[in-house]
């Protein structure tokens, strides 16, 4: 089945460690996105990529990094520079025709 | 700074009752407005993609309207059922790639 796969679902990290969240899609979508959700807030855009080897900062990119070496993959690294990394992270891709976002099931990161 | 607001933040409705909630967005630089339903332990899924002022979309008991000139969209649910319990997100598109989400309306249906 076509879709978006995020891993891991749950992740615990010690302060000062970098961690990478995986996002893979087999929908043949060009554009991919990373969002962060905190309690009581909407989804906030971290980074997005409209095409392979290109990506743009979103509203809250500080402390995060991404790469887009393959169309199917858009991993997000949460670096030690991110001051408050504990959150729920959602990856999505868009249908170029309608702009409809297709989401993964999310990754919950907890910093101990 | 573009702001997208949804109200109310949460809503408790008796099964069988109808309900509606609002998404307010900037009335300038409008490209599209999407509604998503996010059930617990699942991924958000698109309900409606709306692009034209005056658009009205319907899917079963759920419908949505769009007013781009005044910057709001309403989502209506007729005869609420327990399976309607979810968080409903609206997403304002100022371009094909610039998307801003509201904080959502959490709907709970009481049997």
């Amino acid at each position: 089945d076509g879709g978006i796969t995020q891993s891991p679902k749950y992740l615990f990290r010690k302060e000062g460690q970098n961690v990478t969240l995986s996002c893979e899609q087999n929908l043949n979508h060009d554009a991919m996105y990373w969002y962060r959700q905190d309690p009581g807030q909407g989804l906030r855009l971290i980074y997005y990529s409209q095409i392979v080897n290109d990506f743009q900062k979103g509203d809250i990119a500080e402390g995060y990094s991404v790469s887009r070496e393959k169309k199917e993959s858009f991993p997000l690294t949460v670096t030690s520079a991110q001051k408050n990394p504990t959150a729920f992270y959602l990856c999505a891709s868009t249908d170029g025709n309608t702009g409809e976002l297709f989401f993964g099931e999310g990754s919950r990161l907890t910093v101990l | 700074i573009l702001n997208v607001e949804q109200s109310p933040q949460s809503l408790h409705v008796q099964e069988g009752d109808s309900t509606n909630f609002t998404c307010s967005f900037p009335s300038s630089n409008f490209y599209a407005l999407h509604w998503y339903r996010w059930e617990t332990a699942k991924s958000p899924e698109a309900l409606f993609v709306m692009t034209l002022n005056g658009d009205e979309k319907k899917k079963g008991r759920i419908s949505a309207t769009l007013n781009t000139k005044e910057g709001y969209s309403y989502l209506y649910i007729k005869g609420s059922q327990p399976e309607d319990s979810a968080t409903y997100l609206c997403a304002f598109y100022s371009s094909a790639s610039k998307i801003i989400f509201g904080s959502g309306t959490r709907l709970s249906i009481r049997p």
Side-chain angles (χ1 to χ4, degrees):
Chain A
D1 282 3
I4 301 203
T5 303
Q6 287 187 242
S7 62
K9 263 192 170 178
Y10 301 95
L11 188 59
F12 296 88
R13 186 194 94 175
K14 291 182 181 177
E15 276 193 33
Q17 288 180 335
N18 291 356
V19 63
T20 297
L21 307 180
S22 169
C23 178
E24 303 280 328
Q25 55 106 353
N26 60 5
L27 299 167
N28 200 34
H29 289 168
D30 284 319
M32 296 186 73
Y33 300 77
W34 273 104
Y35 290 93
R36 168 180 171 141
Q37 193 204 26
D38 294 283
Q41 295 196 39
L43 301 178
R44 292 186 291 165
L45 182 64
I46 305 172
Y47 267 98
Y48 65 101
S49 167
Q50 291 184 276
I51 200 164
V52 174
N53 293 322
D54 184 58
F55 48 82
Q56 308 292 331
K57 290 182 179 180
D59 300 317
I60 55 166
E62 187 176 345
Y64 299 98
S65 66
V66 292
S67 62
R68 187 84 188 279
E69 297 174 3
K70 298 187 299 181
K71 189 175 186 177
E72 301 80 19
S73 179
F74 191 40
L76 174 75
T77 296
V78 185
T79 76
S80 56
Q82 168 50 235
K83 300 295 181 204
N84 187 18
T86 294
F88 186 73
Y89 293 87
L90 270 174
C91 178
S93 66
T94 53
D95 175 328
N97 293 325
T98 67
E100 177 184 339
L101 284 164
F102 292 79
F103 288 91
E105 293 190 337
S107 295
R108 185 169 297 281
L109 172 64
T110 302
V111 174
L112 304 172
Chain B
I1 296 177
L2 299 176
N3 203 29
V4 178
E5 295 188 358
Q6 291 188 245
S7 63
Q9 274 194 334
S10 64
L11 199 50
H12 299 270
V13 174
Q14 194 69 37
E15 182 177 351
D17 286 352
S18 296
T19 187
N20 64 85
F21 27 95
T22 308
C23 174
S24 301
F25 52 85
S27 55
S28 58
N29 298 319
F30 178 86
Y31 182 85
L33 192 286
H34 293 197
W35 282 99
Y36 291 85
R37 175 166 59 199
W38 192 0
E39 296 178 68
T40 303
K42 294 186 178 180
S43 311
E45 289 186 344
L47 276 174
F48 300 114
V49 172
M50 311 181 82
T51 56
L52 297 174
N53 184 42
D55 256 356
E56 292 188 20
K57 301 266 178 145
K58 188 174 180 184
K59 188 181 286 189
R61 295 178 291 99
I62 304 177
S63 60
T65 61
L66 178 67
N67 184 324
T68 61
K69 294 185 177 180
E70 295 184 38
Y72 64 84
S73 176
Y74 292 139
L75 190 79
Y76 301 90
I77 301 179
K78 187 177 177 182
S80 304
Q81 299 297 309
E83 60 264 29
D84 296 328
S85 295
T87 295
Y88 291 82
L89 298 171
C90 72
F92 170 76
Y93 288 57
S94 58
S95 71
S97 58
K98 183 68 175 173
I99 309 164
I100 300 172
F101 280 85
S103 56
T105 293
R106 290 158 200 78
L107 176 65
S108 298
I109 308 300
R110 294 189 295 259

